[in-house]
Amino acid sequence: MYCSCTMAEHFHLNTPLLESVNMSKRVGTTVYLKMENSQPSGSFKVRGIGHLCQQLARQSKGVVCASGGNAGLAAAYVAKKMGVSATIVVPSSSPRLVVQRLQDQGATVKITGKVWDDANTEAHRLAETEGLTYVPPFDHPLLWQGHATMISEAADSLGPGVKPGAVLVSVGGGGLLCGVIQGLKDVGWKDVPIIAMETVGADCFNAAVKAGRIITLDDITSEAKCLGAKTVCKKAFEYSQSSDLTIISELVTDQHALHAMETFLDEERVLVEMACGAALAAIYSGLIQRLQDEGRLPSCLGPLLVIVCGGSSINMEQLANLKHKIRP
């Protein structure tokens, strides 16, 4: 099957930019939420993957993607819309919920290895042996171009003359971070600080920043499995070393990310996964105030833009499982 869609077609939505009264009270400045959880595939990933597939997979016999959940769901969604087959390779740590949702999108699911890196090796093998188009989940310029559109949308929503005091973003392999930076450059906001959030145990970016070189983690020990790349992409690390950008790399515990998920559900009536909870925890854990106290953010802070990256590997049963694991 071959794609019959037009080149102008987009697979992502222009998502809402919502003001959070509760979060704004906590940090003493206006907090805007870019609601990427409302994308058709459940996360921001459909922006970049949709853009990449439009460019690389229009005449493909099928796509293959390694994913802990969200990239695979985006690839499966886009492939279905384009009329090509999708094979998604997931690690054994992926929730059954994700596997079922992938199958519901018509994808062939293959479970390989313990972590994403193992699944990615198999995805590359399948691309080579079966002639499939490999869809990277985070490390490709076309992905970053697609993700950058969320920043231009936010700029349009905020209107002229309104610039964020900082952007809060979760970091896994670094694709979203690279897209946000690209977007900030596109709209003339390169001077806006980025607060790059990870959980302890899924912190390949923070480890690289501290070491001054790219680090491969021994294992992923965090329950935020969708942050679970053991090595950050090269471009994200290069950005962290750039004197033209302000990237503040911070860690929170799984407990903080879980608390952020629960508070966000309670106050904003939205359920997101732990990977997203890492960014939200910057507000709920008092980290923003600490950064202000340390002089790393100004005491008089402009509005915060929080990328609610979403995630489909969560439901109430999975939330209960996380509570049991993290708070036994």
Side-chain angles (χ1 to χ4, degrees), residues 10-13 36 39 41 43-56 70-71 74-75 78 135-150 175-176 179:
H10 294 299
F11 300 105
H12 66 266
L13 303 177
E36 289 299 292
Q39 291 291 357
S41 68
S43 81
F44 75 96
K45 291 279 190 180
V46 73
R47 291 181 183 270
I49 286 176
H51 182 58
L52 181 141
C53 287
Q54 283 279 43
Q55 303 300 314
L56 302 183
N70 292 313
V78 169
V135 177
F138 55 80
D139 194 1
H140 198 287
L142 289 173
L143 297 177
W144 311 331
Q145 287 176 18
H147 298 334
T149 56
M150 73 180 74
L176 177 56

Side-chain angles (χ1 to χ4, degrees), residues 7-89:
M7 282 298 286
E9 183 177 349
H10 294 299
F11 300 105
H12 66 266
L13 303 177
N14 185 332
T15 54
L17 186 73
L18 305 180
E19 181 179 340
S20 170
V21 173
N22 288 305
M23 288 178 134
S24 300
K25 283 167 57 180
R26 289 174 187 269
V27 293
T29 189
T30 306
V31 174
Y32 292 105
L33 306 172
K34 185 60 172 164
M35 302 296 285
E36 289 299 292
N37 60 295
S38 61
Q39 291 291 357
S41 68
S43 81
F44 75 96
K45 291 279 190 180
V46 73
R47 291 181 183 270
I49 286 176
H51 182 58
L52 181 141
C53 287
Q54 283 279 43
Q55 303 300 314
L56 302 183
R58 291 176 59 80
Q59 299 301 316
S60 175
K61 64 184 285 190
V63 301
V64 60
C65 179
S67 171
N70 292 313
L73 284 159
Y77 173 82
V78 169
K80 185 177 181 180
K81 291 292 185 183
M82 292 180 68
V84 301
S85 68
T87 301
I88 312 299
V89 189

Side-chain angles (χ1 to χ4, degrees), residues 259-316:
H259 172 71
M261 288 171 63
E262 293 175 308
T263 309
F264 197 67
L265 176 59
D266 187 42
E267 293 186 350
E268 309 296 336
R269 306 168 306 286
V270 176
L271 179 61
V272 295
E273 64 186 29
M274 277 193 65
C276 184
L280 301 175
I283 289 176
Y284 293 129
S285 70
L287 187 142
I288 297 297
Q289 180 65 56
R290 175 170 66 78
L291 293 175
Q292 290 177 296
D293 292 344
E294 293 172 355
R296 298 167 71 192
L297 286 176
S299 54
C300 185
L301 187 61
L304 296 179
L305 174 60
V306 183
I307 307 301
V308 183
C309 54
S312 291
S313 63
I314 191 69
N315 59 13
M316 293 307 290

Side-chain angles (χ1 to χ4, degrees), residues 76-154:
Y77 173 82
V78 169
K80 185 177 181 180
K81 291 292 185 183
M82 292 180 68
V84 301
S85 68
T87 301
I88 312 299
V89 189
V90 301
S92 60
S93 56
S94 298
R96 175 65 198 170
L97 167 69
V98 169
V99 174
Q100 185 61 56
R101 288 181 174 171
L102 288 167
Q103 291 170 338
D104 289 345
Q105 285 286 357
T108 298
V109 181
K110 184 167 186 180
I111 300 173
T112 301
K114 181 184 174 185
V115 296
W116 173 83
D117 302 75
D118 303 328
N120 194 44
T121 299
E122 176 64 9
H124 277 291
R125 188 191 71 80
L126 290 171
E128 182 71 26
T129 59
E130 299 189 16
L132 302 174
T133 300
Y134 173 75
V135 177
F138 55 80
D139 194 1
H140 198 287
L142 289 173
L143 297 177
W144 311 331
Q145 287 176 18
H147 298 334
T149 56
M150 73 180 74
I151 301 298
S152 57
E153 288 175 10

